[in-house]
Amino acid sequence: MDDSIIMNNNDDDDDNNTIEHSDEIVSDIISLIHSTTHSSYVICSQLSSKLISYLSQIHMNDNQWHDLEKAVERFDQSIDHPDLRRFRQLIETISICSNDCEERNYTLGRDANTLFESICQLQELLQSHVNLHCTLLSKLIEQNDIQLHLIDVMNLTGMNVGNQIHGILCDIVHLLCQINRTFSVTNVIDHPIVSNCIRIIQTSINSICSTEIFSGDNAKPTVIFALRLLTDLLLTNESFPVHVYGQLSNCVFLKSIFDLIENSGEDNELILTAVKFILSFNLRFDYPHENPIMLTLLAVNEQISCRELIERLILLFNRSVDPIECKTTNSIIKFFSDLFGDQATTSDALLYDSDRRLIVEIISRELSDRSITDEATTTYLSLLELILRSQSITSETCTRIDELQTSFRAHLYAENCLKQNRFIINEILRQHCWLSTNDMPFYL
């Protein structure tokens, strides 16, 4: 064979390998930019092209590449970082508008555009830092002069600046709490913004209900932002001022939230945000008969069916999804336990027999799928005991007798069965003999 032909073939292979390698590098660069910025692939492609073009114009050796990495670190840690400067400029501008509005005590007028543009830019800046899990702003937020400006920002929620701005302000404070976890406790929970959030939610819901559609002043995002902020504060487990606790527990306010859940059509974001608020608030109460959520559900039962709420909770329960992600308590199980925990009065009013059967079926599956030493099984067994105690499930209506008996037997025979689980199972068998079998060992 001609040597020139062999050489040409080798050159073609090298060219193909080079092209494939280049394609892989560019694809990786574009993917990295996209995963970081969440921008469209068109923008990521243009950015990568500009970046490669710039790098091709400079000649770098290996040591200089290492120096560049250190330069990036210095840039990120600089006290004169552009994002730090921008953050300070924006909150100072908003603070001036806030104080100006407070002094004049009427709508901002010519300052309205400045305020709106500034808070939108601040919201975008904070959201980008939260998306990237960046803590660059955290220490700055703790500075006294910055906190004074942020108080002015929060004060705007009580001024006549419009429903849309109220919503964005609530989101800004929510994002600040995400960046600096102590900010909610040190600056927000005692601030009038909490009461303002409650008022903003009620006003916006009234607007939604009166028009039967979301009004032009962005009532929907305003409600979502305000509910998210309240949920943040509830999950701190810190005490609220007495008057705020009274506002949160007010039957009229809670009824408006239940109304929102039932009448939001298929708006999943709005419904799930309201459900998360209810679940987070419900975690605050140990006794169902003192729980304003349970008391309100019972009081408004003839006016609101609450089917959307119940069906959403059962769906989440079936998927083993806790939207609150509380480390110590499953908020869904806690809610159902409270429904059945007041002599079943609330559960009788809200749940259908089919709901109870479905909940028992889910518990049965969880007990079968989980390890005997899994501490989460205790909460499932406790809920099952409450449901059975209500006498709403009997041998005739229970569709999972065999599965429950198998799970009980496995726990009782296991040497490593949790003591609390063994006690609950024995209590269930003592009260409901139709679940027991002759080969079950009854001992504590």
Side-chain angles (χ1 to χ4, degrees):
M1 182 179 292
D2 192 336
D3 289 343
S4 64
I5 296 176
I6 295 174
M7 292 179 62
N8 287 335
N9 287 338
N10 289 336
D11 290 342
D12 290 341
D13 289 341
D14 290 342
D15 289 341
N16 289 334
N17 290 335
T18 301
I19 291 172
E20 288 180 4
H21 186 54
S22 298
D23 287 346
E24 288 178 2
I25 292 173
V26 170
S27 178
D28 288 344
I29 292 174
I30 292 174
S31 295
L32 283 170
I33 295 172
H34 174 73
S35 64
T36 304
T37 64
H38 302 287
S39 302
S40 70
Y41 279 98
V42 172
I43 294 175
C44 296
S45 176
Q46 291 176 349
L47 181 57
S48 66
S49 177
K50 291 181 179 180
L51 181 63
I52 292 169
S53 176
Y54 173 78
L55 292 174
S56 67
Q57 297 174 23
I58 58 178
H59 303 285
M60 302 286 294
N61 57 41
D62 291 343
N63 290 333
Q64 287 174 312
W65 280 109
H66 182 66
D67 291 339
L68 277 183
E69 291 180 2
K70 290 184 176 180
V72 172
E73 292 179 7
R74 289 194 298 273
F75 179 83
D76 285 341
Q77 296 170 4
S78 170
I79 59 174
D80 197 35
H81 191 286
D83 277 2
L84 295 179
R85 292 201 309 270
R86 186 62 181 149
F87 176 75
R88 185 182 288 274
Q89 290 169 356
L90 288 170
I91 63 171
E92 286 176 354
T93 300
I94 297 170
S95 175
I96 291 170
C97 289
S98 174
N99 289 322
D100 189 28
C101 180
E102 189 173 29
E103 288 174 7
R104 288 185 286 141
N105 198 28
Y106 62 90
T107 307
L108 285 170
R110 59 185 170 81
D111 292 340
N113 290 336
T114 301
L115 176 64
F116 184 72
E117 290 172 3
S118 296
I119 67 167
C120 286
Q121 291 174 29
L122 179 59
Q123 181 190 34
E124 183 180 355
L125 174 65
L126 295 174
Q127 186 66 66
S128 66
H129 279 243
V130 169
N131 290 343
L132 296 174
H133 305 287
C134 177
T135 58
L136 178 67
L137 295 171
S138 183
K139 289 186 178 180
L140 186 62
I141 292 172
E142 295 175 355
Q143 294 181 10
N144 290 335
D145 61 326
I146 295 297
Q147 290 190 358
L148 290 174
H149 289 315
L150 292 177
I151 289 173
D152 289 334
V153 172
M154 292 191 290
N155 287 344
L156 279 167
T157 59
M159 300 180 194
N160 183 23
V161 293
N163 194 53
Q164 184 180 9
I165 289 181
H166 284 154
I168 299 173
L169 289 167
C170 290
D171 190 43
I172 285 172
V173 178
H174 160 73
L175 294 169
L176 289 168
C177 294
Q178 297 291 104
I179 293 171
N180 186 299
R181 296 293 178 178
T182 64
F183 182 71
S184 58
V185 177
T186 57
N187 290 272
V188 184
I189 205 163
D190 291 327
H191 189 275
I193 190 174
V194 186
S195 292
N196 293 335
C197 267
I198 297 170
R199 175 186 52 77
I200 290 166
I201 290 169
Q202 284 189 289
T203 302
S204 299
I205 291 177
N206 290 338
S207 173
I208 293 170
C209 293
S210 63
T211 58
E212 297 185 355
I213 58 173
F214 294 116
S215 59
D217 61 348
N218 297 288
K220 170 193 164 182
T222 297
V223 171
I224 290 175
F225 292 147
L227 283 172
R228 281 179 184 166
L229 178 55
L230 287 180
T231 301
D232 284 344
L233 300 177
L234 286 167
L235 292 176
T236 63
N237 209 30
E238 295 290 327
S239 298
F240 285 93
V242 174
H243 72 281
V244 172
Y245 174 82
Q247 291 174 316
L248 286 169
S249 304
N250 184 273
C251 183
V252 176
F253 173 66
L254 292 175
K255 179 180 178 295
S256 69
I257 303 297
F258 296 134
D259 262 325
L260 183 68
I261 295 172
E262 298 305 310
N263 297 299
S264 294
E266 298 181 358
D267 195 318
N268 288 323
E269 183 183 16
L270 184 59
I271 294 173
L272 184 58
T273 303
V275 168
K276 289 176 70 172
F277 165 76
I278 292 295
L279 290 174
S280 62
F281 192 29
N282 191 66
L283 289 173
R284 292 255 173 169
F285 304 98
D286 295 325
Y287 306 105
H289 64 279
E290 298 176 352
N291 186 335
I293 293 176
M294 297 299 132
L295 295 174
T296 301
L297 282 171
L298 197 57
V300 303
N301 178 54
E302 294 184 0
Q303 305 168 47
I304 308 174
S305 69
C306 292
R307 288 310 303 164
E308 183 70 34
L309 172 64
I310 297 301
E311 289 173 6
R312 289 271 176 167
L313 293 176
I314 292 177
L315 178 63
L316 292 169
F317 188 46
N318 186 43
R319 294 176 176 175
S320 298
V321 173
D322 183 358
I324 297 302
E325 298 179 351
C326 180
K327 294 180 180 179
T328 57
T329 307
N330 184 306
S331 67
I332 304 286
I333 294 179
K334 167 71 164 59
F335 189 92
F336 284 135
S337 297
D338 289 342
L339 281 183
F340 288 98
D342 59 345
Q343 291 77 48
T345 303
T346 310
S347 64
D348 287 345
L350 294 176
L351 299 180
Y352 297 153
D353 289 341
S354 57
D355 296 330
R356 298 183 183 88
R357 288 195 297 270
L358 182 53
I359 293 172
V360 171
E361 289 175 10
I362 295 169
I363 293 172
S364 174
R365 186 195 67 217
E366 292 290 338
L367 293 176
S368 298
D369 292 346
R370 292 177 181 271
S371 165
I372 287 173
T373 57
D374 187 343
E375 294 183 359
T377 55
T378 303
T379 57
Y380 285 98
L381 285 168
S382 297
L383 176 57
L384 177 64
E385 194 275 330
L386 285 172
I387 296 172
L388 293 172
R389 190 193 302 173
S390 70
Q391 303 295 331
S392 56
I393 299 292
T394 64
S395 57
E396 289 77 23
T397 59
C398 184
T399 58
R400 290 292 186 270
I401 293 179
D402 293 342
E403 290 90 336
L404 287 172
Q405 289 174 336
T406 299
S407 294
F408 291 167
R409 195 180 296 112
H411 278 79
L412 293 174
Y413 273 111
E415 293 183 359
N416 58 347
C417 175
L418 300 174
K419 183 177 179 180
Q420 183 67 10
N421 287 1
R422 194 185 300 278
F423 175 82
I424 296 171
I425 291 171
N426 273 277
E427 186 64 21
I428 289 173
L429 297 176
R430 185 178 68 82
Q431 295 287 343
H432 312 280
C433 57
W434 51 272
L435 279 169
S436 64
T437 61
N438 293 331
D439 59 342
M440 283 189 186
F442 289 87
Y443 58 87
L444 296 178

